[in-house]
Amino acid sequence: MRLRTVLAALALTVAAAIAPALAVQPGEMLGDPALEARARTLSAELRCMVCQNQSIDDSDAELAHDLRVLVRERLAAGDTDVQVLDFVVARYGEFVLLKPRFSTRNALLWGTPVLLLLVGGVFAFASARSRRRTETKLSDEEQAALSRILGEAER
């Protein structure tokens, strides 16, 4: 019984490790191993527009297949890795990149939450300071009444 469980877990682990490799069909692969390695590296950097949480290298979607073929065609035509990525980004937009490039728009996107936290912290600090300043002292009558109430509460 225990051996079956271990073998089943091992089979599932092997299947999970092999499954992404099965997304690339043998007919898509390039004859040159160096070009194929570059294509696999580039495919791992590009998002499947259908699945959106997978690279085109891992996806079985038809659009991912088309993008894998496009990457391989561009590499076979002599494009550099940067030229291939630029071509795909020009065609599909920057969303196709799993790791977006740094730009002013991205900096604003990532910097806004930090900026909002800083502004909120400054506002909270200023608010606390102004509250401390506006605290009023008790008048002599109020102080006497408070002392009398606290004195009665102690008894």
Side-chain angles (χ1 to χ4, degrees):
M1 176 75 172
R2 188 171 191 143
L3 180 61
R4 282 188 200 170
T5 306
V6 170
L7 289 175
L10 183 62
L12 285 173
T13 303
V14 170
I18 293 174
L22 298 177
V24 177
Q25 303 300 316
E28 297 175 22
M29 293 183 180
L30 295 169
D32 182 7
L35 276 180
E36 180 60 27
R38 285 177 54 203
R40 294 298 292 260
T41 302
L42 289 173
S43 294
E45 295 178 24
L46 296 172
R47 179 187 318 272
C48 174
M49 303 300 278
V50 176
C51 307
Q52 294 190 5
N53 285 331
Q54 285 184 319
S55 69
I56 62 170
D57 200 39
D58 298 334
S59 175
D60 287 328
E62 192 164 331
L63 180 60
H65 165 75
D66 294 343
L67 283 171
R68 287 191 303 265
V69 170
L70 175 69
V71 166
R72 284 164 174 77
E73 287 174 355
R74 301 294 297 188
L75 288 174
D79 285 0
T80 65
D81 293 355
V82 173
Q83 288 173 326
V84 172
L85 288 177
D86 288 344
F87 179 81
V88 174
V89 168
R91 199 169 199 189
Y92 294 97
E94 196 168 319
F95 182 73
V96 78
L97 296 175
L98 281 171
K99 294 179 184 173
R101 297 172 176 158
F102 184 77
S103 67
T104 308
R105 183 176 47 189
N106 291 347
L108 183 63
L109 177 68
W110 288 100
T112 299
V114 174
L115 184 64
L116 288 174
L117 281 173
L118 287 173
V119 168
V122 167
F123 177 76
F125 180 74
S127 178
R129 277 191 84 189
S130 70
R131 247 187 252 137
R132 251 188 259 141
R133 286 185 190 157
T134 59
E135 289 179 5
T136 57
K137 295 191 175 195
L138 296 176
S139 67
D140 291 337
E141 286 179 12
E142 292 169 332
Q143 187 65 43
L146 180 62
S147 296
R148 187 176 58 245
I149 293 171
L150 289 176
E152 290 174 4
E154 289 178 3
R155 294 183 199 172

